[in-house]
Amino acid sequence: MVSSFIVKNPATGESIQEVPRHTEEEINQALDKGHTGFKKWSKINAHERSRLLKKWSLLIQENKEEIAKVMTMENGKPLSESNGEVNYATSYIDWYAEEALRLYGRTIPAASEAKRIVVSKQPIGLVAAITPWNFPAAMMTRKAAPALAAGCSFIVKPAEETPLTTIRLVELAHEAGIPEDAIQCVNGRGSVVGRLFTESPHVRKITFTGSTPVGKSLIKDSAETIKHVTMELGGHAPLIVAEDADIDFAVAQTLLTKFRNAGQTCVCANRILVHENIVDTFSEKFAEATKQLKVGNGLDEATDVGPIINEKGYNKIVAQVNDAISKGAEVLVGNKYDADKEKGFFFVYPTVLKNVDGSMDIMQEETFGPVAPITSFKTLEEAVEIANNTPYGLAAYFFTNDYRTGTYLHDNLDFGIIGWNDGAPSAAHAPFGGMKESGLGREGGIEGIEPYLETKYLSIGNL
Ligand code: SIN
């Protein structure tokens, strides 16, 4: 019997489409196909690979309206954010279409006149990607574009909540002329596909965006065949507002980083630390701005904050808010919900909590929801200590116009991405990734193509 799953609109609980799961046999066939595909794709010259990637990007842009609508229907994010994500997704393809032309090797002076030393870069092989539901387009192209640019073949398993965007992107890649065995999409349960990907001797690299526990198990399973791994895992971003900060600017940027995608991003501010002398003003202004956000179906143009992806995510958010309140947090706005378990939709109204402390779950666990916990600090040293007191190390933000404060915070925060007076640092041309349990490797920028390349050293003697 063919197994399948239903993709549902998280804003209404309504079914959008039934998607068949590939069988284990079909997934193994796809892996064989990707292996053969690698042999051909890696031989296509870099200029042609670059041209095909650019064509793919153009086709995605030509179909932007349709893709954005599908994304909003399966993910729930407001249409304006989906349109923004399509641009974000093609920015990775555009960047790596150019990087394909810059896969330089080097020559090294040898210690003897009779020798030459040459170092070259070669594609690593078949790459298997597992992508999340929160950015169904951009997290896929952030992996596919550098892989294809490097000459690797690519196979992706999207999240079962949001496969439709990915399926469409892969169709458009084929339409652009990227061979069907160079980029493929398979659908199936995470545990099954993850096992087949990690067991396969054809797969030379696993790239994953998702939770830290799943990332750990993929790393473990990849060890059997010594695969390369890139892991973009969980986060618990601190956002520090120093005493001298421009409060209105900090409020606007915090709003942006906290409530984008209903707080369902790995880089969302998860702990807001404000200097004690300005915490009341900041909190008041931030709560007032939060009150203005409109919650609803992402297809409605007025919507700022869409639904939570599913019941599990919703339950976690509600539990964190209740835990914080029971331990003394004050609700400035929110703690309001619109959920129907029968129908299957779950909205959390943007919530601001004040007087939170380290004993509360929300200060330790990733929230993945539109809840902003605010606490205060006296000294920068204390702010850094609170900020670094987490196993995660993905993103951190701070607001200050004092260069000494900024430099101190930059130097002492243990996070891979730092936004200084910037709530939206992500960009295709910059390295995205975390320290500690937030992951391994970087995606984006010149760093983002390196993990798809092997270094080969040639020593020529007897000259
Ligand atoms: C993520 O949440 O995983 C990605 C967010 C981004 O690229 O800005």
Side-chain angles (χ1 to χ4, degrees):
M1 197 182 69
V2 179
S3 141
S4 63
F5 59 99
I6 309 276
V7 182
K8 293 192 171 171
N9 183 338
T12 59
E14 284 159 8
S15 303
I16 308 172
Q17 197 174 312
E18 185 171 357
V19 176
R21 285 192 181 98
H22 289 94
T23 62
E24 294 203 14
E25 196 186 344
E26 285 169 335
I27 294 168
N28 280 326
Q29 280 164 0
L31 289 165
D32 288 342
K33 191 169 155 183
H35 180 56
T36 321
F38 170 67
K39 291 183 190 151
K40 291 185 268 163
W41 179 248
S42 56
K43 296 288 178 285
I44 291 178
N45 76 69
H47 290 258
E48 178 63 1
R49 294 201 302 268
S50 173
R51 191 187 68 76
L52 292 171
L53 282 168
K54 285 179 185 165
K55 194 155 173 217
W56 184 27
S57 170
L58 273 177
L59 278 181
I60 295 173
Q61 283 294 335
E62 278 170 27
N63 290 275
K64 180 169 164 179
E65 215 173 293
E66 167 223 327
I67 296 169
K69 190 167 173 208
V70 168
M71 197 190 307
T72 289
M73 287 179 71
E74 64 179 354
N75 167 284
K77 67 177 67 181
L79 207 47
S80 57
E81 286 193 31
S82 296
N83 275 300
E85 188 181 332
V86 177
N87 291 341
Y88 186 36
T90 54
S91 72
Y92 282 100
I93 305 177
D94 297 341
W95 170 265
Y96 286 109
E98 297 294 338
E99 284 301 287
L101 308 179
R102 296 177 181 79
L103 302 176
Y104 303 133
R106 68 192 201 278
T107 57
I108 299 172
S112 143
E113 293 71 27
K115 280 196 171 197
R116 293 280 185 282
I117 294 177
V118 179
V119 178
S120 60
K121 297 286 181 180
Q122 294 196 350
I124 209 163
L126 170 62
V127 172
I130 302 177
T131 54
W133 49 262
N134 62 344
F135 290 91
M139 296 306 100
M140 186 276 209
T141 58
R142 184 146 92 182
K143 299 171 187 341
L148 293 168
C152 298
S153 53
F154 184 82
I155 182 163
V156 57
K157 183 216 115 51
E160 289 209 342
E161 289 84 350
T162 58
L164 305 178
T165 304
T166 309
I167 290 170
R168 187 70 186 120
L169 293 185
V170 172
E171 277 171 10
L172 290 172
H174 297 155
E175 219 174 285
I178 301 174
E180 292 199 0
D181 51 10
I183 178 165
Q184 303 176 78
C185 174
V186 291
N187 284 295
R189 288 203 169 82
S191 55
V192 175
V193 183
R195 174 172 54 76
L196 297 174
F197 279 1
T198 49
E199 277 176 359
S200 168
H202 295 325
V203 173
R204 292 312 315 139
K205 178 178 177 67
I206 300 277
T207 172
F208 170 68
T209 296
S211 76
T212 295
V214 174
K216 285 181 184 178
S217 99
L218 287 169
I219 294 170
K220 249 189 236 155
D221 296 344
S222 296
E224 274 305 309
T225 45
I226 315 283
K227 295 188 200 316
H228 294 255
V229 293
T230 294
M231 295 283 146
E232 203 261 274
L233 308 176
H236 203 283
L239 183 150
I240 299 170
V241 187
E243 190 178 6
D244 75 290
D246 174 337
I247 296 183
D248 291 334
F249 181 72
V251 164
Q253 292 287 305
T254 308
L255 217 63
L256 192 71
T257 166
K258 180 63 257 184
F259 298 119
R260 170 182 176 221
N261 203 9
Q264 301 171 107
T265 89
C266 306
V267 290
C268 271
N270 215 132
R271 287 166 293 155
I272 301 171
L273 320 177
V274 187
H275 190 273
E276 59 178 2
N277 291 345
I278 56 164
V279 69
D280 289 341
T281 315
F282 177 91
S283 306
E284 237 170 70
K285 289 187 173 207
F286 184 65
E288 197 44 48
T290 301
K291 252 187 232 158
Q292 312 307 320
L293 297 174
K294 188 167 179 313
V295 176
N297 188 324
L299 290 178
D300 176 349
E301 269 185 21
T303 295
D304 298 304
V305 178
I308 300 305
I309 192 73
N310 56 30
E311 186 175 359
K312 189 171 165 221
Y314 171 82
N315 287 343
K316 182 178 181 195
I317 299 164
V318 177
Q320 285 191 5
V321 173
N322 288 342
D323 170 76
I325 294 171
S326 75
K327 291 173 180 160
E330 183 191 343
V331 179
L332 296 186
V333 53
N335 188 25
K336 189 177 148 198
Y337 308 92
D338 178 13
D340 188 323
K341 290 186 187 195
E342 291 306 310
K343 291 194 173 132
F345 62 79
F346 305 91
F347 289 91
V348 175
Y349 280 69
T351 297
V352 181
L353 302 174
K354 208 179 157 194
N355 299 333
V356 296
D357 65 44
S359 71
M360 300 171 186
D361 293 344
I362 199 159
M363 292 295 273
Q364 316 293 336
E365 297 168 7
E366 192 170 26
T367 305
F368 244 62
V371 183
I374 302 177
T375 189
S376 63
F377 65 88
K378 280 187 204 316
T379 63
L380 286 180
E381 290 74 14
E382 187 195 358
V384 165
E385 198 171 311
I386 301 172
N388 285 342
N389 185 19
T390 167
Y392 296 114
L394 186 56
Y397 307 87
F398 57 77
F399 293 86
T400 178
N401 290 325
D402 181 291
Y403 78 92
R404 286 204 176 89
T405 301
T407 307
Y408 173 81
L409 291 172
H410 168 264
D411 291 352
N412 288 286
L413 288 169
D414 297 332
F415 294 82
I417 303 163
I418 307 268
W420 177 349
N421 289 341
D422 186 2
S426 307
H429 39 275
F432 185 107
M435 300 180 181
K436 298 179 352 190
E437 294 197 16
S438 284
L440 286 173
R442 295 293 180 269
E443 296 185 306
I446 52 171
E447 289 85 352
I449 199 161
E450 272 299 320
Y452 297 95
L453 296 166
E454 286 284 13
T455 297
K456 193 179 258 183
Y457 153 50
L458 169 70
S459 180
I460 309 172
N462 197 23
L463 291 172

